[in-house]
Amino acid sequence: MKYYLTTPIYYVNAAPHLGTAYSTFAADLIKRFKKMEGYDPVVLTTGSDEHSLKVERAATAAGVNPLAYTTKMAAEFISQWAKLGIDYDHFIRTSDPKHHETVRWLFERCQKNGYIYKGSYTGAYCVSDEAYVNDVAPGEPCPQCGRPTETVTEENYFFKLSAFQKPLLELYEKNPSFVKPDHRRNEMIAFVQQGLNDLSITRTSLQWGIPAPVEAHHIFYVWFDALISYMSAVKADDLWPADLHLIGKDILRFHAVYWPAFLMAAELPLPKQVFAHGWILHEDNKMSKSRGNVVRPGPIVDVVGADALRYFLLREITFGQDGSFSYDALIQRYNSDLANGLGNLASRTLTLIHQNRNGIIPDSPGAPEIAEAARRTTELTMDAFCDFNFSRGLETLWSFISVIDKFIVERAPWKLGKDSSSFAQKMLDETLYSAAEALRIVCAWVYPVMPNSARNIWIQLGMKTPIESITFADLHWGKLQAGQKIGSIAAVFPRLDASAIVKMENLEVQEKARQAELFGTAKPAVAAAAVDGASKISIDDFVKVDLRVGQVVSAERVKGADKLLHMKVDIGEEEPRTIVAGIAESYPPEEMMGRKVVIVANLQPRKLRGIESNGMIVAASLEGGKPVLAGFLEDVPVGAKLK
Ligand code: MSP
């Protein structure tokens, strides 16, 4: 029986970080686990979401055409996934003509069934989430991500989402495992119960995207386009419907509401399950490119290996909930669970067999209490993995590792080896066989999570069948063959110290610079020079900059300049200052009214589009060129100086 699963397709305006790698790691794990369960074929699709407005903007900022940009970025994803050892079958790009064809085909099916109509839309749009936002006034922050929304008015094609309230509620009711975990399902039920607005699924203002098969210039809304990629990736292989869409919780609504509605409208089978995992947090926030708190997987893999990173993320964080990443926690867990836990069990067991039995697995049925513990471990781990509760499954396996460790210590094979009585020698055989057989079983279970390390130990145990081909039937106690010669022994997880963190941090700086270069967001040389010790400034230099708190009293767009806002800013002087700032793409004028900002008050005036600007607004400049205004958490009086 086939099993078809998907990761989300990733926006290519940023390289993979630990947050985006998380879905992909988990999907790779599930693929390997499902193979062990006996599904065949098990097919995993991933890919790149290339048509979003933010991608179009990122390409423009990098000064290249969108296709050239996305081709380069998709290649970066492919090379990162290879580095992380992801075993996917299809990488679908939404710029692929075969995908365009599927999108148009699905649209036409919905249209034929009466679920598409033409209408006009005015409202708020969140560029960051690529979603129309209901219930916010123009310019207000997006309720999902907190970033500014933009007002759009367009004549669009609409999808009659409102017609699917009842069918969706029935779907959640009849098929309780359609959305997992359960608390996410409840969220979706509550969302749909409030009523559904029809969804605008084309846009006229975009160029970069899939043209809709209609009379005028309409480009498909990116989410209509993106979701269908799950189908285009396998259209030729007869694999639809998907058995599992694995996603992060922030994109659940698109998968659990819009996607089944599109498919119902097109009279196509629905995916069997959508599982929403939580977020990887770093420095207390969701790790994301726009927050600037990302950690890249590449440098970690270079220092501790992909397996250790996968293990950490899947053991440390309950799948479905949020959890934090830190280098410290990674190294701690590596040393305690991998170097001291599994690694130690492997080297101890293999060395004892080498020393006492010339590297030959002894003939013994093993100790009944360990055989029973192994059976129970397999049962519990199976339950946990079937529920996608990987942390619980791994916890169970590591408890078993402790049981075997304790058993070895109690049996003291180093003493038994010195006692030539037949009782002692029989006990020694039993001890060594039990340890080796337990190690084989642990290894097989660990394989979906840490494929390379498991394979490594498997080969050291002298196993002849490839670990990739094992199934759960092979996990019964006693399958380890007596007389088997073990391979050469080598440490799998050498201990790490704090210098590993320094190495990862240094590599992270290099990787960040490499990616900034690649994505066309590298800062000019002068910015780089500022961090160089030679170009540090003294406090006397710093106090020359007059930074003040100001309040915007009026704001309007500068005609003919999309990016510029013309503002009057009160900084506690007799008259408000005139300031022209390049923030209009992120901050519409209405949003600036009354807002407190930080101003550089003693800059020489300069003319922008004929208007003399007397000061500069301070903002963080993020990758992609988007400004984020500096502000205060507490209230501060207008005119206050910053020092
Ligand atoms: N392109 C859309 C998905 C379309 S699927 C038809 C998208 N892309 S994304 O690149 O922004 O995010 C891809 C996935 O990464 C999402 O599932 C998202 O939840 C996940 N993550 C991004 N940051 C994350 C964390 N910090 N932690 C965990 N997952 C996170 O959305």
Side-chain angles (χ1 to χ4, degrees):
M1 197 172 29
K2 66 95 187 166
Y3 191 90
Y4 172 42
L5 77 159
T6 63
T7 73
I9 54 167
Y10 298 96
Y11 290 133
V12 288
N13 58 328
H17 54 76
L18 287 190
T20 41
Y22 185 51
S23 295
T24 321
F25 279 149
D28 180 88
L29 185 173
I30 295 170
K31 175 177 175 179
R32 293 172 199 267
F33 171 68
K34 289 289 162 190
K35 272 190 169 171
M36 287 173 74
E37 264 191 297
Y39 287 92
D40 187 24
V42 182
V43 176
L44 168 61
T45 286
T46 188
S48 49
D49 193 351
E50 303 187 4
H51 288 137
S52 65
L53 185 53
K54 46 186 168 188
V55 169
E56 189 174 21
R57 285 185 181 171
T60 311
V64 289
N65 79 53
L67 184 60
Y69 179 83
T70 58
T71 301
K72 203 155 88 165
M73 298 319 149
E76 171 67 7
F77 270 81
I78 289 171
S79 95
Q80 293 279 328
W81 295 151
K83 181 163 188 168
L84 302 185
I86 306 298
D87 180 22
Y88 60 83
D89 300 275
H90 298 284
F91 188 98
I92 181 79
R93 295 183 56 189
T94 53
S95 55
D96 184 333
K98 105 176 159 201
H99 170 65
H100 288 211
E101 205 181 289
T102 317
V103 172
R104 283 194 281 264
W105 167 78
L106 205 133
F107 172 80
E108 279 165 348
R109 284 183 72 109
C110 296
Q111 197 172 33
K112 187 178 85 225
N113 290 339
Y115 292 106
I116 305 288
Y117 66 92
K118 203 170 175 183
S120 162
Y121 175 85
T122 297
Y125 188 79
C126 174
V127 176
S128 180
D129 292 345
E130 299 289 0
Y132 293 101
V133 185
N134 299 320
D135 307 327
V136 304
E140 270 186 6
C142 164
Q144 279 279 334
C145 69
R147 281 180 283 255
T149 55
E150 297 184 8
T151 307
V152 293
T153 299
E154 285 188 347
E155 187 167 73
N156 291 336
Y157 282 86
F158 280 72
F159 175 78
K160 271 193 203 163
L161 186 63
S162 54
F164 291 92
Q165 183 184 28
K166 201 161 158 256
L168 284 167
L169 290 171
E170 276 168 15
L171 166 70
Y172 308 142
E173 174 75 30
K174 279 198 194 129
N175 182 357
S177 58
F178 179 70
V179 179
K180 279 281 181 183
D182 291 340
H183 63 280
R184 299 277 168 227
R185 170 173 171 266
N186 294 338
E187 274 173 29
M188 288 304 104
I189 293 176
F191 175 75
V192 174
Q193 273 171 342
Q194 281 172 14
L196 295 170
N197 294 323
D198 290 348
L199 188 71
S200 159
I201 56 161
T202 65
R203 306 196 64 194
T204 49
S205 54
L206 276 176
Q207 295 306 319
W208 171 237
I210 303 179
V214 292
E215 82 305 339
H217 172 81
H218 282 266
I219 295 291
F220 280 115
Y221 165 50
V222 61
W223 272 101
F224 187 77
D225 155 358
L227 290 160
I228 297 170
S229 69
Y230 295 141
M231 204 172 226
S232 359
V234 294
K235 201 140 178 264
D237 309 335
D238 197 21
L239 284 167
W240 192 258
D243 294 271
L244 173 68
H245 292 315
L246 196 61
I247 54 162
K249 64 180 183 181
D250 48 328
I251 57 172
L252 179 59
R253 196 177 10 123
F254 301 100
H255 285 79
V257 179
Y258 297 0
W259 182 220
F262 296 160
L263 289 166
M264 285 181 202
E267 292 181 294
L268 291 166
L270 306 187
K272 308 251 174 65
Q273 189 169 72
V274 176
F275 188 101
H277 62 69
W279 284 339
I280 308 279
L281 313 175
H282 185 46
E283 293 156 353
D284 299 330
N285 269 312
K286 180 191 178 200
M287 187 179 287
S288 80
K289 181 194 157 223
S290 46
R291 283 194 178 81
N293 63 346
V294 301
V295 175
R296 292 153 183 83
I300 300 178
V301 170
D302 287 340
V303 178
V304 302
D307 281 2
L309 175 60
R310 290 164 70 114
Y311 175 78
F312 174 79
L313 294 175
L314 293 155
R315 168 66 185 87
E316 185 85 4
I317 302 164
T318 305
F319 204 59
Q321 291 174 16
D322 294 351
S324 291
F325 171 83
S326 76
Y327 290 112
D328 275 334
L330 168 70
I331 296 299
Q332 242 176 48
R333 215 173 244 295
Y334 174 97
N335 281 332
S336 67
D337 294 11
L338 300 182
N340 293 350
L342 178 58
N344 188 42
L345 174 69
S347 64
R348 191 185 216 185
T349 303
L350 295 166
T351 307
L352 284 167
I353 294 173
H354 174 72
Q355 287 168 349
N356 293 285
R357 292 291 179 260
N358 288 324
I360 305 290
I361 305 281
D363 191 3
S364 163
E369 68 274 25
I370 298 296
E372 174 52 22
R375 193 197 57 73
R376 183 90 188 113
T377 300
T378 285
E379 194 177 275
L380 293 175
T381 312
M382 178 68 110
D383 281 355
F385 276 30
C386 282
D387 279 352
F388 302 146
N389 193 334
F390 308 115
S391 54
R392 198 179 71 215
L394 291 169
E395 200 182 341
T396 307
L397 285 171
W398 260 253
S399 308
F400 183 47
I401 291 179
S402 305
V403 168
I404 315 161
D405 273 341
K406 203 161 152 247
F407 167 78
I408 296 177
V409 171
E410 279 168 8
R411 289 283 181 105
W414 38 92
K415 284 191 195 149
L416 293 171
K418 290 184 191 138
D419 181 343
S420 57
S421 71
S422 68
F423 176 77
Q425 290 305 307
K426 201 169 164 229
M427 287 293 274
L428 182 57
D429 282 348
E430 190 180 87
T431 308
L432 297 181
Y433 185 88
S434 302
E437 176 59 333
L439 179 64
R440 183 187 72 89
I441 292 170
V442 168
C443 213
W445 268 113
V446 159
Y447 164 72
V449 183
M450 294 191 282
N452 290 327
S453 314
R455 189 181 303 111
N456 188 341
I457 301 174
W458 192 254
I459 291 168
Q460 293 190 35
L461 255 174
M463 302 302 300
K464 296 289 171 289
T465 46
I467 196 163
E468 290 75 11
S469 67
I470 46 167
T471 65
F472 292 118
D474 302 322
L475 295 188
H476 291 306
W477 186 264
K479 289 255 171 182
L480 178 65
Q481 293 297 312
Q484 176 169 303
K485 176 114 184 76
I486 63 170
S488 38
I489 308 169
V492 190
F493 302 109
R495 269 191 79 79
L496 295 173
D497 59 27
S499 68
I501 299 184
V502 178
K503 271 192 212 145
M504 287 188 278
E505 284 173 342
N506 287 342
L507 287 171
E508 166 69 22
V509 173
Q510 289 171 23
E511 178 66 349
K512 185 173 175 187
R514 183 191 71 80
Q515 288 181 356
E517 187 79 31
L518 179 75
F519 283 71
T521 52
K523 298 277 175 292
V526 60
V531 293
D532 173 350
S535 28
K536 281 186 179 151
I537 59 166
S538 71
I539 186 78
D540 298 337
D541 289 331
F542 175 70
V543 292
K544 288 182 199 154
V545 184
D546 184 5
L547 290 167
R548 290 226 229 132
V549 176
Q551 185 163 32
V552 178
V553 290
S554 73
E556 61 188 28
R557 290 185 191 273
V558 175
K559 278 209 185 78
D562 293 347
K563 290 189 177 161
L564 294 182
L565 274 194
H566 175 186
M567 287 168 284
K568 297 274 184 208
V569 183
D570 179 5
I571 59 166
E573 297 170 331
E574 267 180 27
E575 292 289 323
R577 294 269 187 114
T578 296
I579 294 181
V580 180
I583 56 171
E585 281 184 332
S586 301
Y587 296 92
E590 322 80 79
E591 206 194 328
M592 291 306 295
M593 297 289 291
R595 182 162 178 151
K596 294 236 170 106
V597 287
V598 177
I599 299 296
V600 183
N602 59 341
L603 274 185
Q604 284 181 352
R606 66 179 185 138
K607 273 201 169 168
L608 289 158
R609 298 277 170 147
I611 310 166
E612 187 173 274
S613 180
N614 271 290
M616 188 182 90
I617 290 201
V618 177
S621 173
L622 303 185
E623 287 175 15
K626 195 174 163 176
V628 176
L629 293 178
F632 298 93
L633 293 175
E634 282 87 11
D635 197 24
V636 276
V638 164
K641 274 179 82 78
L642 278 81
K643 9 183 201 173

